[in-house]
């Protein structure tokens, strides 16, 4: 009875019990330590280059898919349906084969000889992938059992939802890598920074609950984290823009941070002078006693503000959606693989929608329309031998007429 009275008094006065305070600070320390460990590991994978990053994304896909699938697991029923888990793995394998097959084909365009030998496989890649899926579909239908129809249909739907929300969305991360590691790294960094500072501002200043789905999220954390993310994105983008390892499309998958990467960078990374409005110039002259008429800014920094705004305002709702899933299944975390953070899904719940947005934004507003040698050669391989010879003679005739062949051959002779 005395304990109950004490708890009521603490609640009324806003006092946090000592045990709860110690537990809170212990969780803070544990969460902070593993946050820095994850950041260190993330930077290591970045430094090892595109192939390392792709393998990291693949591992994350499998781990998150496993955590999400396990939510709908009913061991008692699954014992009577021995193939249910095997089918989950099979459908994941089908989708991974389809997606990563496309990635491998794209990477091999830089190796024409190898691509030529694998062309029959790549030419029918979509059909092979779809045939694999159809086999899984037939397998599923053939295992339907009386008394388990509703459960099996629910499992089938849940599996496809997990494939769509986890695997297919995370594929945009891989797409971003091929455009330049910058476009993979920046969106992830923005979400991490927003998550860290939203937690910090919420921990020290949080008073007003943001959303009922996630009681610990506060308006103070949401706003403080958002403003910090915008500033970070603008400044951090400028620091990365001169690093060709980041901004160049990877010339190969085994490129690392120590590789000598050279390319013609996208114009958005090139600094430009912008004229300062006269009103702003007048204010700065009064405050700084210095006349500033132009500022030098990289266009990508303005784009980073748009991406930072999404990371701050919309991406957190991916986390809120995950919170809704946890409430629906009455669980605290998706797992316990990361001390202080929960499961892998708990840390990457915002990243997939962020990757989808950043890729869509890049292709809509930033990407340059270019035709690569690899893409042209892939089209050449599809032609029959007669058409290939015809194209060869046409190109040869054009080069001889324009004088390009002489300029290329003359140094050798």
């Amino acid at each position: 009875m005395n304990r109950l009275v004490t708890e009521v008094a603490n609640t009324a006065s806003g006092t946090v019990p000592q045990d709860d305070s110690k537990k809170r600070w212990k969780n803070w320390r544990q969460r902070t330590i593993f946050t820095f460990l994850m950041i260190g590991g993330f930077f290591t994978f970045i430094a090892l280059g595109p192939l390392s990053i792709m393998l990291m994304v693949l591992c994350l896909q499998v781990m998150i898919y496993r955590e999400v699938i396990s939510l709908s697991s009913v061991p008692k029923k699954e014992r009577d349906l021995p193939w249910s888990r095997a089918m989950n793995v099979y459908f994941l394998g089908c989708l991974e084969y389809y997606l990563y097959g496309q990635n491998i084909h794209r990477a091999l365009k830089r190796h024409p000889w190898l691509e030529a030998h694998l062309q029959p496989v790549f030419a029918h890649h979509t059909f092979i992938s779809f045939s694999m899926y159809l086999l899984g579909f037939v397998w599923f239908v053939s295992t339907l059992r009386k008394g388990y129809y509703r459960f099996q249909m629910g499992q089938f739907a849940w599996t496809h939802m997990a494939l769509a929300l986890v695997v297919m969305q995370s594929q945009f991360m891989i797409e971003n890598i091929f455009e330049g590691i910058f476009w993979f790294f920046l969106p992830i960094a923005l979400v991490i920074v927003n998550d860290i500072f939203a937690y910090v501002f919420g921990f020290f200043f949080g008073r007003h609950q943001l959303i009922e789905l996630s009681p610990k999220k506060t308006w103070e954390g949401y706003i403080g984290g958002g403003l910090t993310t915008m500033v970070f994105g603008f400044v951090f983008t400028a620091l990365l823009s001169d690093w060709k390892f980041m901004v160049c499309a990877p010339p190969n998958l085994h490129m690392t941070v120590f590789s000598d990467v050279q390319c013609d960078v996208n114009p958005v990374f090139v600094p430009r002078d912008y004229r300062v409005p006269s009103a702003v110039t007048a204010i700065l002259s009064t405050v700084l006693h210095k006349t500033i008429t132009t500022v030098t800014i990289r266009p990508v920094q303005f784009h980073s503000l748009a991406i930072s705004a999404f990371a701050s305002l919309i991406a957190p709702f991916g986390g809120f959606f995950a919170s809704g899933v946890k409430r629906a299944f009455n669980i605290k975390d998706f797992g316990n693989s990361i001390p202080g953070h929960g499961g892998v899904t708990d840390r990457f719940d915002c990243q997939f929608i962020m990757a989808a947005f950043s890729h869509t934004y890049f292709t809509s507003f930033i990407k340059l329309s270019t035709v690569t040698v690899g893409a042209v050669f892939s089209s050449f391989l599809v032609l029959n031998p007669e058409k290939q010879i015809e194209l060869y003679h046409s190109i040869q005739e054009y080069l001889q007429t324009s004088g390009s062949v002489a300029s290329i051959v003359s140094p050798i002779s």
Side-chain angles (χ1 to χ4, degrees):
M1 183 67 182
N2 291 334
R3 182 180 178 184
L4 178 61
V5 172
T6 303
E7 289 180 356
V8 172
N10 288 335
T11 303
S13 62
T15 303
V16 179
Q18 188 174 2
D19 290 343
D20 290 346
S21 179
K22 289 182 178 180
K23 183 179 179 181
R24 192 182 185 196
W25 279 104
K26 180 181 178 181
N27 182 67
W28 161 265
R29 288 192 296 270
Q30 188 181 57
R31 185 184 179 99
T32 301
I33 291 170
F34 278 90
T35 293
F36 282 106
L37 288 176
M38 286 189 292
I39 292 174
F42 177 67
F43 278 113
T44 301
F45 279 106
I46 292 290
L48 293 176
L51 182 59
S52 171
I53 300 171
M54 290 176 64
L55 292 176
M56 177 186 69
V57 174
L58 176 61
C59 291
L60 291 174
Q61 287 175 338
V62 173
M63 294 170 69
I64 295 173
Y65 177 78
R66 178 177 175 273
E67 289 181 351
V68 173
I69 286 296
S70 66
L71 294 180
S72 63
S73 176
V74 181
K76 183 178 179 181
K77 292 185 177 181
E78 289 178 352
R79 281 195 293 269
D80 298 328
L81 303 168
W83 295 110
S84 60
R85 292 190 178 184
M87 276 188 281
N88 290 334
V89 176
Y90 179 80
F91 282 120
L92 174 64
C94 290
L95 186 55
E96 296 287 15
Y97 171 80
Y98 172 68
L99 296 176
Y100 279 86
Q102 291 179 325
N103 297 330
I104 293 172
H105 186 199
R106 183 185 302 182
L108 289 181
K109 286 182 179 179
R110 299 180 175 88
H111 306 278
W113 180 85
L114 187 56
E115 185 192 13
H117 282 75
L118 295 175
Q119 182 60 27
V121 177
F122 292 134
H124 304 97
H125 175 70
T126 302
F127 181 79
I128 295 171
S129 302
F130 185 61
S131 299
M132 292 171 60
Y133 175 80
L134 289 178
L135 287 175
F137 178 75
V138 171
W139 181 18
F140 167 74
V141 174
S142 65
T143 60
L144 289 173
R145 291 182 55 182
K146 185 177 181 180
Y148 294 90
Y149 294 149
R150 182 185 294 273
F151 172 75
Q152 288 180 283
M153 290 299 178
Q155 292 290 89
F156 186 74
W158 185 257
T159 297
H160 283 67
M161 185 204 75
L163 291 172
L165 293 182
V166 175
V167 182
M168 294 188 70
Q169 276 201 119
S170 60
Q171 174 63 16
F172 288 110
M173 292 183 175
I174 305 297
E175 297 287 338
N176 291 340
I177 294 171
F178 283 100
E179 303 297 346
I181 295 179
F182 175 91
W183 301 108
F184 168 83
F185 178 66
L186 180 66
I188 291 180
L190 292 174
V191 171
I192 292 174
V193 169
N194 182 258
D195 186 53
I196 291 174
F197 282 94
Y199 182 78
V200 170
F201 277 91
F203 184 87
F204 290 103
F205 309 108
R207 296 293 183 273
H208 304 89
Q209 189 181 89
L210 174 63
I211 187 169
E212 187 178 350
L213 276 173
S214 192
K216 293 183 179 180
K217 304 295 183 182
T218 64
W219 277 104
E220 290 81 2
Y222 185 70
I223 295 172
L227 293 176
T228 306
T229 303
M230 298 282 284
V231 174
F232 172 84
F234 190 82
V235 175
F236 194 58
T237 297
L239 297 177
L240 293 179
S241 295
D242 286 325
W243 194 3
K244 290 192 174 182
F245 170 76
M246 282 286 178
V247 302
C248 291
N252 50 64
L253 293 182
H254 55 269
M255 176 187 80
T256 69
V257 70
F258 303 106
S259 302
D260 182 21
V261 183
Q262 299 296 329
C263 70
D264 295 325
V265 299
N266 191 305
V268 297
F269 293 105
V270 179
R272 291 177 55 186
D273 290 333
Y274 292 90
R275 189 172 185 82
V276 178
S278 55
V280 177
T281 300
I283 295 173
L284 292 176
S285 298
T286 303
V287 176
L288 302 177
H289 303 291
K290 184 179 180 181
T291 302
I292 301 176
T293 57
T294 61
V295 291
T296 302
I297 299 175
R298 302 169 193 268
V300 70
Q301 291 180 264
F302 295 118
H303 291 296
S304 74
L305 290 177
I307 300 174
S308 298
F310 185 90
S312 304
L313 302 176
I314 307 299
F317 281 84
F320 301 153
F321 175 81
S323 296
V325 173
K326 289 187 284 188
R327 299 294 178 273
F329 286 90
N330 196 29
I331 58 174
K332 182 178 183 295
D333 296 309
F334 283 95
N336 56 6
S337 53
I338 309 176
H341 293 268
V344 181
T345 311
D346 294 288
R347 288 280 55 83
F348 285 86
D349 47 14
C350 304
Q351 293 289 1
F352 296 150
I353 190 173
M354 186 70 207
F357 171 80
S358 58
H359 180 74
T360 304
Y361 185 91
F362 174 82
T363 55
S364 299
F365 301 107
I366 301 174
K367 186 175 183 179
L368 300 176
S369 297
T370 57
V371 178
T372 64
V373 174
V376 173
F377 188 76
S378 294
S379 300
F380 173 80
L381 292 175
V382 177
L383 301 174
N384 58 48
E386 291 78 10
K387 293 294 184 181
Q388 289 178 346
I389 294 173
E390 180 183 346
L391 178 61
Y392 168 76
H393 288 305
S394 298
I395 294 175
Q396 185 182 45
E397 181 182 353
Y398 170 78
L399 293 176
Q400 289 174 345
T401 303
S402 63
S404 300
V405 172
S407 64
I408 294 173
V409 174
S410 57
I412 300 177
S413 58

